Amino acid sequence: MNRFRSFFTSSKSQATTTESLDQAIKRLTGYKPKDLTIYQTAFTHKSMGLKNEKGHVVSYERLEFLGDAILSAVIAEYIYNEVPQGDEGYLTKMRSKIVSREHLNELGQDFGLLSFAMTQVPQKHFGNNIHGNLFEALVGALYLDKGYKLTKRFICKRVVDTYVDIEKLEGKVISYKSIFIEWCQKNKKIFDFNTYEDTGVNEVRHFAVRLKIDDRIVARARATSKKKAEEKASKRAYFALQDKM
């Protein structure tokens, strides 16, 4: 684990060139770390090839999994108490909006977490999701280091109080594909996501979509994954058919 210490001792934050990792954690979370190694793991990408004393790969992915669960639990409790009239469907949708990948990426970016990432992969090759992944890993690390009570306090103060507006979130769309499919099913429309690989001259793999309703193309889209391409096509279809939907 000495490579951990040497890296993070010399690592520089975007906020200041003299800030150490323990100082950054205290600034970001409000708590001084008890076990800095946990936070070092939270910023370690598997490309480093590090292993712990038991021979297990060291990376932020397990902490990301843990942080996702803790964050979801805290947000679920918040919404449950904040909106007593909300039914199960409403509460589930609101929680999904707050912990959406887009929102978590925004949090990770605002916190400047990528500046602490320990990786062999050039940062320009990471997609936006790295920001949200690191934020979830930070939450997981904080939970292991400080426990649920203080982690909940951090989430409520730095996430809920700062970023969550129930009224605005009620009108926010998190999945145009879901809305499109629900509308088609409700109106007995036959739809088809005709998705195929379309790399063309790009070095990066791309996928294209022809979105059809009753054999008529209503939208086209192209992106670096099937999921992104289908969501983009659904969004275009949503606005093209907005007066009907």
Side-chain angles (χ1 to χ4, degrees), residues 5-245:
R5 298 188 181 93
S6 62
F7 174 83
F8 282 105
T9 299
S10 60
S11 179
K12 304 301 182 182
S13 166
Q14 291 178 337
T16 169
T17 57
T18 60
E19 186 180 44
S20 63
L21 182 63
D22 61 337
Q23 291 173 328
I25 297 302
K26 184 176 181 180
R27 172 176 59 81
L28 293 172
T29 68
Y31 309 124
K32 182 175 177 59
K34 289 191 295 184
D35 186 351
L36 191 61
T37 303
I38 300 175
Y39 299 94
Q40 292 169 340
T41 300
F43 294 109
T44 300
H45 190 264
K46 61 184 178 182
S47 64
M48 294 301 299
L50 296 179
K51 293 185 178 181
N52 60 21
E53 293 79 2
K54 295 183 179 180
H56 299 149
V57 174
V58 175
S59 83
Y60 63 73
E61 292 179 358
R62 283 169 54 83
L63 285 172
E64 176 192 347
F65 164 81
L66 180 61
D68 173 62
I70 299 301
L71 186 62
S72 183
V74 172
I75 296 302
E77 181 184 355
Y78 166 77
I79 300 171
Y80 180 86
N81 292 326
E82 188 71 13
V83 192
Q85 74 278 13
D87 60 18
E88 180 186 4
Y90 172 89
L91 298 176
T92 299
K93 287 183 178 180
M94 292 302 293
R95 181 183 61 185
S96 296
K97 290 181 180 183
I98 295 174
V99 298
S100 69
R101 182 51 47 184
E102 177 186 359
H103 193 198
L104 295 180
N105 289 343
E106 179 184 345
L107 287 167
Q109 285 182 303
D110 288 352
F111 275 57
L113 300 183
L114 190 56
S115 63
F116 299 107
M118 184 181 181
T119 176
Q120 294 286 5
V121 179
Q123 292 186 0
K124 64 180 181 179
H125 291 166
F126 283 117
N128 283 336
N129 286 351
I130 184 66
H131 302 288
N133 295 344
L134 291 175
F135 180 78
E136 288 177 323
L138 174 62
V139 172
L142 185 61
Y143 169 73
L144 291 182
D145 190 43
K146 296 294 185 180
Y148 183 80
K149 183 177 180 180
L150 292 184
T151 304
K152 176 183 174 182
R153 186 180 299 174
F154 159 74
I155 293 171
C156 289
K157 181 178 180 181
R158 298 303 305 273
V159 178
V160 175
D161 292 349
T162 306
Y163 291 91
V164 176
D165 185 321
I166 295 295
E167 290 186 4
K168 288 184 178 179
L169 285 172
E170 284 179 342
K172 183 178 181 180
V173 175
I174 60 173
S175 174
Y176 286 95
K177 183 177 179 180
S178 295
I179 292 176
F180 175 80
I181 292 176
E182 288 176 7
W183 179 82
C184 287
Q185 292 174 339
K186 181 179 179 180
N187 292 276
K188 295 180 172 53
K189 300 287 187 179
I190 299 174
F191 64 91
D192 177 42
F193 286 89
N194 182 4
T195 306
Y196 56 95
E197 189 170 341
D198 181 30
T199 300
V201 297
N202 298 96
E203 294 182 5
V204 179
R205 192 180 187 189
H206 277 71
F207 294 87
V209 176
R210 296 189 190 97
L211 181 52
K212 298 180 179 180
I213 295 180
D214 297 332
D215 288 329
R216 181 175 66 88
I217 297 177
V218 294
R220 300 173 187 264
R222 187 169 176 271
T224 54
S225 72
K226 290 182 179 179
K227 183 178 180 180
K228 289 180 180 178
E230 291 178 356
E231 178 65 21
K232 185 184 291 186
S234 298
K235 183 176 182 179
R236 290 176 177 174
Y238 172 84
F239 283 106
L241 302 169
Q242 196 169 21
D243 57 332
K244 299 179 181 179
M245 301 178 74

